[in-house]
Amino acid sequence: MEQLKSFGRELAMGSQGGSSKEFLDLVKSIGEARSKSEEDRIILRELETLRRRLSEPDIPRRKMKEYLLRLAYAEMLGHDASFGYIHAVKMAHDDNILLKRTGYLTVALFLDEGHDLIILIVNTIQKDLRSDNYLVVSAALVAVCKLISEETIPAVLPQVVELLGHPKEAVRKKAVMALHRFYQRSPSSVSHLVSNFRKRLCDNDPGVMGATLCPLFDLILEDANSYKDLVVSLVSILKQIAEKRLPTTYDYHHMPAPFIQIKLLKILALLGSGDKQASSHMYTVLTEIFRKCESSSNIGNAIIYECVCCVSSIYPNSKVLDAAIEATSKFLKSESHNLKYMGIDALGRLIRINPDIAEEHQLAVIDCLEDPDDTLKWKTFELLYKMTKSTNVEVIVDRMIDYMINITDSHYKTEIASRCVELAEQFAPSNQWFIQTMNKVFEHAGDLVNPRVAHNLMRLIAEGFGEDDEGADTQLRSSAVDSYLRILGEPKLPSLFLQVICWVLGEYGTADGKYSASYIIGKLCDVAEAHSSDDTVKAYAVSAIMKIFCFELAAGRKVEMLPECQTLIDEVLASHSTDLQQRAYEFQALLGLSPQVIENVMPPDASCEDIEIDKSLPFLSNYINQAIENGARPYISESERSGTASTIAVASASQYQHDTSSVHSLKFEAYDLPKPRGPVPSIQSSSMSSLPTISSDLVPVSEATYTTREEQQNPKVQTLADQISAEIGVRLRLDGVQKKWGRQTYSSPSAPSTSSSSSTQKPSNGMVTSETIRENTLDSRKQQIPEVSAEKQRLAASLFGKKAVEKKTQAGTRRPVKEIQPAVATSAPEAPKEDKVIAPAAPPPDLLDLGEPSETATQTIDPFKQLEGLLGPGAGSDRASGPGPSVSAVATADLMSMVTDMPPIIDSKSSDKGVISSTVAKKGPNVKDALQKDATARQVGVTLTGNNPNLFKDLLG
């Protein structure tokens, strides 16, 4: 401890007055530089000064430290300070911990993993990893993550693995991080150490456990099936964190270890994807996090959002899904754009499970669609893209096109254009609408449209929509020709759009006989003349004119060569583009052929016919044989050519490396062929081979039931997660490991939810009752809801359907409030099935329905009136007595189960009626004193009776 204090004092002195005036002036002058050239002059002058001073003998170590920091400034600003690299390496060898850390810092900034001086640093790191001073070991582990390359990993790997058992938690944490870095650089080098990550997951320090989650996440991302056995242990850790059993030093804005919670939720989402058995273990803890997590802070909202992502990934459960929908609704109703963005993203994940979820939030989605924030609007368009159907495709695509017209970002324009084309191809209600939509996309997106989109459009027009309906296909092509002839009169059409127009007019311009060949040819000549600098458009126009001439001549009709067409052909014949010249010569050659030959060479509507090509080219056999007889060399097969080329490339590359082994320069030769890397399943195989060892660390233990308030109210219904964890639950063995995280005084049991919730309101003895609060809340919420405009209602009807809008606009359809039943102990036997009366399942809650309660609403029981009999004598004397058990008796038994360890005793003969034996009141302390003691315990924050809970109680059983 004294050594640490001395280091702290030395650091403080160095930061306050240790730097010289020259160093401070350098930093000040760099900050005050008005231009890049002035900054460069300052740095170059400083480098000359440092070069001169570093050449001096016997430089004090304190001065050398300052010189290296000044070199680091110059290096970070883009200047070469290579003359000082060796001094940084020497300082990393120093015995002084402060100078050693400075040396490691500057070496990490100066050198990369392929530098020649790295070999000297490796020797230093090996020595420091064996040091007795854990600060030196920590500095070496930090340097390992930056400087060790794939080739030098084996030199330090055994020492890093040994440090996983270091007594200092900081060293163990950095060792886990170093192994994670090794896995990122070379997965095969640490494939045999996967079991170490499993063991560190049970470390008694939360920091080490949290660092272990990062490499486990990468491993599970590659192969989740090999880590299914960790689900129960990860859920148990998450449950303990959510119950605030960690030291308060891990809290952030009153949230217990939020970043560890987020990483655990990401891992559970991967492990529970499509696995019903694994997902069943997660439902309870996810429900508790939704209930306990505070949404008043950003970090609390981040945890809730990650819970929603986890729920959308695992096997769905109705109860957890309802909690996720409620959390998403709060995000969407928030005034913050960040929370609205999270809500839209969460809603896009949830509609993959149930598409009808979006109908409950249709007005919020429309508000986000009209929000001036472009980021939020773009995210809303992504949501609409996912929920597009044949009934709302017109409205959604029109909105997307309007948004595309008003934005200037080329990336967003390209993305929206491709999505509009995709939706139009998939859900087009009519041919006319499809052609008009494609015209708008090409007209407004311009050349930002992917060329593949234009190719798909031409293929779609050629193949048609209908499989056997030729009339529909003909109508599609005719409407395309009509629209394109109208569009040709508009100025500044994109080049890609003009290519599509020329192709369509050449293929189908005269197919229906509506337009003459001369008219179409004249239009194509105008296009070529207007875009004389675009060779691609001219090529498409010449090909289209050639097609029209061929189709007419093959049909026996004469076509007059227009003067502008002849001028175009003459111009193309003299063009510098060989492609244009070839097209013009082909055109002249086809005009001199007979109609029968033209029909065979250029058949009408044959753009989608398959062309069979014989790769052996047999018609060249005679020419090849004659050439070989004349002394030509025979052809080499493709396989032989590729093998020879690879051999030559390898030989030349090796020769080049040998010639330039001592020179650093760019390589212009081809790379070597990739060496066969070990198969990825090697991690799995090593995991499987070490399975007996892993299984020896896993022992089946019984797990205490972890129930929610709803499960306490219905104790006869046992969840699937509890059954599985009770029958086949496995936990990680922690033999010889401390059984808690941190000190015992930090951990405290979480207060029961029933008492904490009941303490927020006052009893109805002349004060405000729960019914009054509920009515006032409903009245205030109804006054705050703004009226929805008719335009928004029409837009919602177009996007979500009329039924959804009618369901949202109904008034007075509030669902009856569920009656709160008194909690009954879980040891009560089940009643006969014939005596049960199963109530009909209530429909899912309507989050936007804030109407008046219906007359059929069930009268709720005020839970505070149930406590009147416990607050004092005669508090509940005015209550009418009935033949069944009194409510106060039931509440007494329930509250006694919270104070004492003995569960309430229930008469088995009358268990189906809920009669509780009166022997409970005779055992244990006085009820009033117990309640007073429990309240005092909650105010203090600790339990007065018994020790603090053991952190790994669930794991050890």
Side-chain angles (χ1 to χ4, degrees):
M1 184 60 67
E2 292 298 328
Q3 187 179 11
L4 285 176
K5 291 181 180 178
S6 64
F7 284 152
R9 285 193 296 267
E10 188 172 352
L11 277 172
M13 292 175 60
S15 61
Q16 292 177 1
S19 301
S20 65
K21 185 177 182 301
E22 294 180 357
F23 185 32
L24 298 178
D25 291 341
L26 171 66
V27 176
K28 183 179 179 181
S29 59
I30 292 174
E32 295 177 352
R34 297 183 179 181
S35 63
K36 176 63 177 174
S37 58
E38 182 180 356
E39 178 186 288
D40 292 340
R41 286 195 298 270
I42 296 172
I43 297 298
L44 291 176
R45 185 170 60 251
E46 179 68 19
L47 287 176
E48 291 297 327
T49 303
L50 292 174
R51 188 190 300 272
R52 185 177 62 257
R53 294 187 178 181
L54 287 176
S55 61
E56 298 175 357
D58 301 332
I59 303 175
R61 294 189 301 176
R62 191 182 187 90
K63 284 290 184 182
M64 180 61 71
K65 176 183 175 181
E66 180 183 326
Y67 293 160
L68 290 180
L69 293 179
R70 290 158 71 172
L71 285 176
Y73 266 89
E75 190 81 15
M76 288 188 295
L77 291 175
H79 294 267
D80 182 26
S82 57
F83 61 89
Y85 290 175
I86 188 62
H87 298 283
V89 174
K90 290 179 180 179
M91 183 165 285
H93 289 275
D94 202 290
D95 295 333
N96 190 332
I97 180 61
L98 294 179
L99 298 179
K100 181 180 288 292
R101 294 180 65 178
T102 304
Y104 275 133
L105 172 64
T106 52
V107 166
L109 292 174
F110 291 157
L111 308 182
D112 57 2
E113 59 185 23
H115 200 275
D116 296 336
L117 295 176
I118 287 295
I119 188 63
L120 302 177
I121 291 296
V122 171
N123 295 332
T124 306
I125 290 175
Q126 287 178 329
K127 184 188 71 172
D128 292 341
L129 289 177
R130 292 189 295 266
S131 175
D132 296 332
N133 189 342
Y134 78 95
L135 295 177
V136 176
V137 178
S138 299
L141 287 173
V142 172
V144 160
C145 298
K146 178 67 172 62
L147 300 175
I148 297 300
S149 61
E150 183 177 356
E151 292 78 12
T152 54
I153 285 177
V156 297
L157 182 59
Q159 298 173 353
V160 174
V161 175
E162 290 179 2
L163 292 175
L164 291 175
H166 198 276
K168 284 292 183 180
E169 60 274 3
V171 175
R172 297 198 304 271
K173 178 179 178 181
K174 293 181 185 301
V176 171
M177 297 169 64
L179 288 179
H180 184 203
R181 184 60 175 167
F182 293 166
Y183 174 77
Q184 291 176 341
R185 289 186 178 273
S186 176
S188 59
S189 62
V190 294
S191 59
H192 60 288
L193 301 174
V194 175
S195 59
N196 290 276
F197 295 134
R198 290 173 174 265
K199 294 177 182 179
R200 289 304 99 197
L201 189 64
C202 303
D203 197 283
N204 57 349
D205 183 74
V208 180
M209 184 273 300
T212 310
L213 295 176
C214 296
L216 278 178
F217 177 78
D218 291 346
L219 291 170
I220 294 172
L221 198 61
E222 294 293 332
D223 180 21
N225 294 326
S226 301
Y227 301 90
K228 295 287 186 180
D229 55 328
L230 293 179
V231 171
V232 180
S233 299
L234 294 173
V235 169
S236 179
I237 294 174
L238 181 60
K239 184 191 303 183
Q240 296 175 60
I241 295 175
E243 292 175 354
K244 298 185 178 180
R245 298 190 188 182
L246 264 66
T248 55
T249 54
Y250 290 91
D251 289 358
Y252 178 77
H253 287 274
H254 307 289
M255 293 300 300
F259 303 105
I260 298 180
Q261 289 192 56
I262 291 174
K263 184 61 71 173
L264 283 170
L265 289 170
K266 289 180 180 291
I267 294 176
L268 292 177
L270 295 175
L271 293 176
S273 178
D275 191 337
K276 184 176 182 181
Q277 181 178 359
S279 301
S280 61
H281 296 278
M282 311 174 191
Y283 296 150
T284 304
V285 68
L286 288 175
T287 305
E288 285 298 308
I289 292 177
F290 275 123
R291 185 175 61 85
K292 292 181 179 180
C293 197
E294 299 178 0
S295 59
S296 57
S297 61
N298 288 335
I299 193 64
N301 291 323
I303 295 177
I304 295 175
Y305 168 76
E306 202 60 48
C307 282
V308 175
C309 297
C310 183
V311 170
S312 64
S313 299
I314 65 176
Y315 193 86
N317 176 269
S318 58
K319 184 178 179 181
V320 183
L321 190 59
D322 291 341
I325 294 173
E326 184 178 357
T328 303
S329 176
K330 292 180 181 179
F331 288 154
L332 292 172
K333 294 178 181 178
S334 174
E335 297 296 330
S336 173
H337 283 182
N338 294 332
L339 295 182
K340 284 184 178 181
Y341 185 93
M342 292 169 56
I344 292 294
D345 184 77
L347 190 60
R349 297 173 182 268
L350 293 176
I351 61 174
R352 293 182 296 184
I353 302 175
N354 184 9
D356 297 334
I357 295 176
E359 295 181 357
E360 303 178 6
H361 311 286
Q362 49 188 328
L363 297 180
V365 172
I366 293 174
D367 290 339
C368 294
L369 194 62
E370 298 176 352
D371 197 278
D373 190 346
D374 288 335
T375 306
L376 182 59
K377 188 180 295 185
W378 170 249
K379 197 66 179 179
T380 309
F381 278 121
E382 290 185 356
L383 173 63
L384 295 178
Y385 170 77
K386 296 177 182 178
M387 54 181 290
T388 303
K389 299 179 291 186
S390 58
T391 56
N392 58 6
V393 63
E394 299 183 39
V395 180
I396 292 177
V397 171
D398 289 344
R399 285 270 176 172
M400 286 185 174
I401 293 176
D402 293 340
Y403 178 67
M404 180 181 64
I405 295 173
N406 297 324
I407 63 176
T408 57
D409 191 289
S410 58
H411 173 73
Y412 281 167
K413 273 196 173 184
T414 305
E415 190 69 21
I416 291 181
S418 61
R419 293 192 174 186
C420 289
V421 172
E422 184 179 349
L423 293 178
E425 292 178 356
Q426 190 173 359
F427 301 104
S430 63
N431 299 339
Q432 188 70 22
W433 179 86
F434 174 77
I435 296 299
Q436 292 177 357
T437 302
M438 298 304 297
N439 294 344
K440 290 181 182 178
V441 171
F442 278 104
E443 184 178 357
H444 296 292
D447 294 329
L448 296 176
V449 180
N450 195 325
R452 178 177 51 85
V453 175
H455 174 74
N456 292 339
L457 175 60
M458 291 186 287
R459 177 183 54 82
L460 188 62
I461 294 176
E463 295 178 353
F465 285 108
E467 297 179 356
D468 300 325
D469 190 0
E470 188 64 28
D473 298 342
T474 303
Q475 183 182 1
L476 170 66
R477 295 158 187 163
S478 299
S479 59
V481 171
D482 294 338
S483 61
Y484 289 158
L485 287 175
R486 289 194 302 268
I487 292 174
L488 281 178
E490 299 181 4
K492 297 182 180 179
L493 292 176
S495 174
L496 191 61
F497 193 23
L498 288 171
Q499 296 172 24
V500 176
I501 292 176
C502 292
W503 184 88
V504 172
L505 293 180
E507 287 284 344
Y508 308 106
T510 59
D512 57 354
K514 185 176 181 180
Y515 300 99
S516 64
S518 301
Y519 178 74
I520 301 296
I521 291 173
K523 288 290 186 181
L524 292 172
C525 291
D526 294 340
V527 171
E529 182 181 358
H531 300 82
S532 58
S533 60
D534 193 340
D535 290 343
T536 306
V537 174
K538 291 177 67 175
Y540 270 84
V542 171
S543 296
I545 294 172
M546 180 173 59
K547 289 178 184 178
I548 294 176
F549 268 95
C550 292
F551 295 159
E552 293 296 316
L553 293 176
R557 295 187 292 268
K558 293 184 179 180
V559 184
E560 181 182 359
M561 178 66 71
L562 300 178
E564 56 268 25
C565 181
Q566 186 63 46
T567 304
L568 174 63
I569 298 301
D570 296 338
E571 178 185 351
V572 171
L573 287 172
S575 174
H576 295 286
S577 173
T578 56
D579 179 55
L580 290 177
Q581 287 185 7
Q582 180 180 352
R583 293 172 190 264
Y585 282 116
E586 289 177 356
F587 183 25
Q588 287 185 342
L590 286 173
L591 292 179
L593 299 177
S594 63
Q596 292 79 13
V597 177
I598 292 177
E599 186 176 4
N600 293 330
V601 174
M602 195 75 69
D605 195 14
S607 57
C608 294
E609 292 183 359
D610 296 332
I611 302 175
E612 297 180 0
I613 300 176
D614 189 356
K615 294 184 178 181
S616 61
L617 304 178
F619 61 90
L620 294 176
S621 300
N622 296 331
Y623 174 78
I624 294 173
N625 295 332
Q626 183 179 0
I628 293 176
E629 291 176 358
N630 294 332
R633 297 177 59 185
Y635 284 104
I636 303 175
S637 63
E638 184 179 358
S639 59
E640 294 177 355
R641 287 199 305 270
S642 60
T644 304
S646 62
T647 305
I648 295 174
V650 172
S652 60
S654 61
Q655 181 66 24
Y656 179 81
Q657 291 178 0
H658 181 267
D659 296 339
T660 60
S661 58
S662 60
V663 180
H664 294 283
S665 61
L666 295 176
K667 297 182 179 180
F668 296 95
E669 297 293 332
Y671 288 105
D672 297 345
L673 292 178
K675 300 179 181 179
R677 188 185 293 270
V680 177
S682 61
I683 300 178
Q684 304 176 8
S685 60
S686 62
S687 304
M688 297 301 293
S689 62
S690 60
L691 189 57
T693 305
I694 298 173
S695 61
S696 63
D697 294 335
L698 300 173
V699 292
V701 295
S702 59
E703 183 181 6
T705 307
Y706 187 70
T707 58
T708 57
R709 293 185 60 185
E710 290 78 1
E711 293 170 346
Q712 293 176 0
Q713 296 171 2
N714 301 278
K716 297 180 182 181
V717 181
Q718 188 177 12
T719 61
L720 179 60
D722 295 334
Q723 295 176 5
I724 296 176
S725 62
E727 294 176 2
I728 59 173
V730 290
R731 295 296 184 272
L732 294 174
R733 176 178 293 172
L734 301 173
D735 298 339
V737 180
Q738 188 179 358
K739 299 181 180 180
K740 64 183 187 317
W741 285 336
R743 302 176 182 175
Q744 293 184 357
T745 55
Y746 285 157
S747 59
S748 60
S750 57
S753 59
T754 54
S755 60
S756 62
S757 61
S758 61
S759 62
T760 58
Q761 296 183 3
K762 298 181 179 180
S764 57
N765 48 357
M767 303 299 290
V768 180
T769 62
S770 60
E771 295 292 336
T772 307
I773 294 175
R774 188 181 299 108
E775 293 176 0
N776 295 338
T777 303
L778 290 175
D779 294 340
S780 61
R781 290 179 63 184
K782 286 190 291 184
Q783 294 176 1
Q784 295 175 0
I785 297 177
E787 295 183 359
V788 182
S789 61
E791 182 180 357
K792 287 188 177 181
Q793 290 183 2
R794 287 194 298 269
L795 181 58
S798 302
L799 293 175
F800 301 94
K802 295 183 178 180
K803 293 183 179 180
V805 179
E806 293 175 357
K807 181 172 65 176
K808 293 300 168 189
T809 54
Q810 289 177 355
T813 58
R814 180 173 175 80
R815 195 170 289 102
V817 183
K818 186 187 297 184
E819 182 177 356
I820 301 176
Q821 299 293 340
V824 185
T826 58
S827 60
E830 289 190 1
K833 293 183 178 179
E834 57 271 8
D835 295 338
K836 291 183 179 180
V837 179
I838 300 176
D846 194 347
L847 299 179
L848 297 179
D849 188 1
L850 304 175
E852 294 293 338
S854 61
E855 297 180 358
T856 60
T858 308
Q859 182 67 26
T860 59
I861 299 177
D862 190 357
F864 304 100
K865 293 182 180 181
Q866 301 178 13
L867 302 177
E868 292 180 355
L870 303 177
L871 299 177
S877 59
D878 56 344
R879 183 166 303 196
S881 60
S886 64
V887 177
S888 62
V890 177
T892 303
D894 189 18
L895 293 171
M896 282 296 297
S897 65
M898 292 162 32
V899 179
T900 64
D901 295 331
M902 181 180 297
I905 302 175
I906 303 178
D907 191 359
S908 60
K909 296 181 181 180
S910 58
S911 61
D912 55 334
K913 299 181 182 179
V915 180
I916 301 177
S917 176
S918 62
T919 59
V920 176
K922 296 179 182 180
K923 294 184 179 181
N926 182 268
V927 178
K928 183 176 179 181
D929 295 342
L931 290 177
Q932 184 66 29
K933 184 178 180 182
D934 189 52
T936 305
R938 290 193 188 88
Q939 294 176 1
V940 175
V942 297
T943 306
L944 299 181
T945 59
N947 296 325
N948 290 329
N950 190 358
L951 187 60
F952 284 98
K953 184 176 180 182
D954 294 336
L955 293 177
L956 295 175

